[in-house]
Amino acid sequence: MRAPRFSLRAFILVLFILSLVGSNLFTSWQLGKLRDENAKLSKELGRLVISDPTKINVIAVPTYEDMLWRWRIHVPKGSGPLHLFTVTQDVPENGFPANSGSSGPFRDGEYLLTAAIRPDRNGKWQLTIAGPQSSFSMGIAEAAAAWLGDSPGYSTEQAGASGTQVADPGERLALLRIRAMKRTSPTSSSSAPGPADGVMIWLAKP
C-alpha cells in the first residue's frame, strides 16, 4: 500500500492551525492568571468589585489593627433605605437577635463603614460605628464586656473577608458576628451553644 503523501502547502496549513490553537490556549491561560491576580489584589486592598449592581455588594477592608473593622458597601438603586442594626450582648450562634438598636438610613450608593471597640474616657468599653456622614457610639454593659479583658478568646465572622460578598436587598446581611468563648479546661476553650457575649452588626430593611 502506498503511504499517504502531504504537500508542503498542507503541512504549512496544519502547522499554522496548530500555532493558532497553541497561541489561543496560552492567551486564555494568561488572562485567567491575570484575573486571579487582580481578584487577589482587590481582596488585599479592600477594593470593591461590584459583580451584580442590583444587589448589596460588600468587601472587608484590611485594617491590621485589633478591634477595628472596615467595609466598602454598595447599596443598589431602588432597594429602599437600609438600616444598620447592632447588639453588644446575647449574640446568637446563627441567625439574628430579636432586639437591637438601629441607625440609618443607607440609601443607594457606595459607603465606607468603620466599626471599632475602644474604652471611653472613663475606661468603659463602647462600640463606635462611623459612616460617611455620621457616627454613633453605644456602651457595652460591664457584665457583657468581660470577654474584652481577661477571657478565653472569641470567634469572629466578618462579611467580605474572603472577597466581595453579594446579598439580596431584602435579606439581612451580617457584617460582623463576634462571640465570646467558654473555657473548657485550663488550657483550652470553645464556642458555647446559644447566645453569648460579644458584638453583632448587620444590614437590613427597617
Side-chain angles (χ1 to χ4, degrees):
M1 179 181 293
R2 182 178 296 177
R5 295 182 178 180
F6 294 94
S7 66
L8 179 60
R9 180 180 297 177
F11 175 76
I12 293 174
L13 180 61
V14 171
L15 186 62
F16 177 72
I17 292 173
L18 290 175
S19 298
L20 283 178
V21 171
S23 177
N24 287 335
L25 289 174
F26 181 71
T27 301
S28 298
W29 174 78
Q30 280 189 318
L31 289 175
K33 185 177 180 181
L34 287 173
R35 280 194 294 267
D36 292 342
E37 290 177 353
N38 186 54
K40 181 181 179 181
L41 183 61
S42 296
K43 176 186 172 183
E44 291 174 352
L45 297 177
R47 183 166 63 89
L48 181 62
V49 178
I50 300 173
S51 58
D52 188 342
T54 66
K55 298 183 182 296
I56 302 171
N57 288 248
V58 177
I59 191 167
V61 179
T63 60
Y64 309 106
E65 188 174 340
D66 193 30
M67 295 297 167
L68 179 69
W69 302 270
R70 188 169 286 134
W71 303 265
R72 294 191 189 278
I73 303 171
H74 163 79
V75 178
K77 291 182 179 180
S79 62
L82 300 175
H83 282 235
L84 196 69
F85 294 83
T86 56
V87 293
T88 56
Q89 57 185 357
D90 296 330
V91 177
E93 187 175 8
N94 299 291
F96 298 84
N99 301 314
S100 64
S102 67
S103 67
F106 287 83
R107 306 189 186 279
D108 60 275
E110 292 188 20
Y111 300 89
L112 179 64
L113 191 70
T114 302
I117 300 176
R118 298 285 186 270
D120 62 15
R121 62 179 181 275
N122 297 315
K124 303 294 185 181
W125 290 103
Q126 64 178 8
L127 169 66
T128 299
I129 300 177
Q133 298 177 345
S134 63
S135 63
F136 71 94
S137 298
M138 57 188 303
I140 302 176
E142 186 174 352
W147 66 276
L148 290 164
D150 184 17
S151 75
Y154 55 89
S155 62
T156 303
E157 298 175 16
Q158 184 181 10
S162 299
T164 301
Q165 184 172 332
V166 177
D168 188 89
E171 299 176 356
R172 291 178 291 185
L173 174 61
L175 296 176
L176 184 67
R177 187 192 303 265
I178 301 175
R179 286 170 41 87
M181 293 182 176
K182 301 291 185 181
R183 193 174 297 281
T184 56
S185 73
T187 58
S188 62
S189 59
S190 65
S191 297
D197 290 337
V199 166
M200 186 171 177
I201 304 171
W202 68 97
L203 278 172
K205 289 191 174 183

